[in-house]
Amino acid sequence: VRHLPVTFRCLCFDMFGHGRSDTQPIDEISWRPVAVALLAALTAVKLKPQDISVLAGHSMGGWVCTVAAALSPVPFPALLLIDPVIQPVERYGPPLTPEAQDAAKLVRQMTERRKDAFESPSDMFERFKGRPPYASWHPQVLRDYCNYGLSAPSSAGCPWRLLCRPAVEAAMYPAGSRQEADASYELSVLAQRQQPV
């Protein structure tokens, strides 16, 4: 963002349970309402798709941008999808195979155990810089991730905490494997529109 001309206005929307949105633990949630909420947020700030140079999203955010773009009656000029969670159609369930259920359970457990407290953003940076996938990131991108992905301590002696709490993130994962998360229809809509991605 810092390399864009100063005339560009960048807006970042925190998804449910992410960033500075409500971070209370939530039950497994459908991702589709998040795509609808993104379009509603754009409407609330009086932005039309054609007013946006690029709609960008990472991971689940990439999926959300894909579905939102397909739902929008007016095309967005461009999408930037960074490692979007869009799987081959056969990976969506039900029924999930026992192997897929075990894999989903393992990912959820690993996410719930994720370290979420750090001495500082610099501490987080030092811990992450040598680990995949962060080791492949530009150092300034990782610094920004650490600087803006933590909440400051509420009082002296308290740690910096991830804004997206591990329990909340883990609750989001199962919805990404449900049948309703299959974005193949939305991808076909975008292909018909010849949506730049």
Side-chain angles (χ1 to χ4, degrees), residues 118-163:
F118 299 88
E119 291 178 21
S120 66
S122 293
D123 174 40
M124 182 179 175
F125 177 85
E126 290 301 319
R127 288 174 180 267
F128 282 33
K129 71 179 183 182
R131 294 180 14 208
Y134 312 105
S136 66
W137 293 11
H138 186 282
Q140 188 58 53
V141 171
L142 180 56
R143 278 207 188 279
D144 288 345
Y145 182 75
C146 297
N147 288 339
Y148 298 106
L150 296 173
S151 62
S154 55
S155 59
C158 290
W160 290 72
R161 296 236 178 234
L162 287 175
L163 285 170

Side-chain angles (χ1 to χ4, degrees), residues 6 19-20 44 79 106 142-143 157 160 166-167 174 192:
V6 294
R20 300 193 186 284
L79 300 179
L106 179 63
L142 180 56
R143 278 207 188 279
W160 290 72
Q192 287 176 339

Side-chain angles (χ1 to χ4, degrees), residues 2 6 34 47 54 59 70 97 99-100 116 165 168 171 183 197:
R2 67 176 47 88
V6 294
V34 182
L47 279 176
V54 177
S59 190
T97 64
E99 295 81 16
D116 76 335
R165 304 303 298 240
V168 174
V197 179

Side-chain angles (χ1 to χ4, degrees), residues 175-190:
S177 295
R178 290 192 200 129
Q179 189 66 46
E180 66 188 31
D182 174 10
S184 55
Y185 171 75
E186 287 78 9
L187 291 171
S188 70
V189 169
L190 298 179

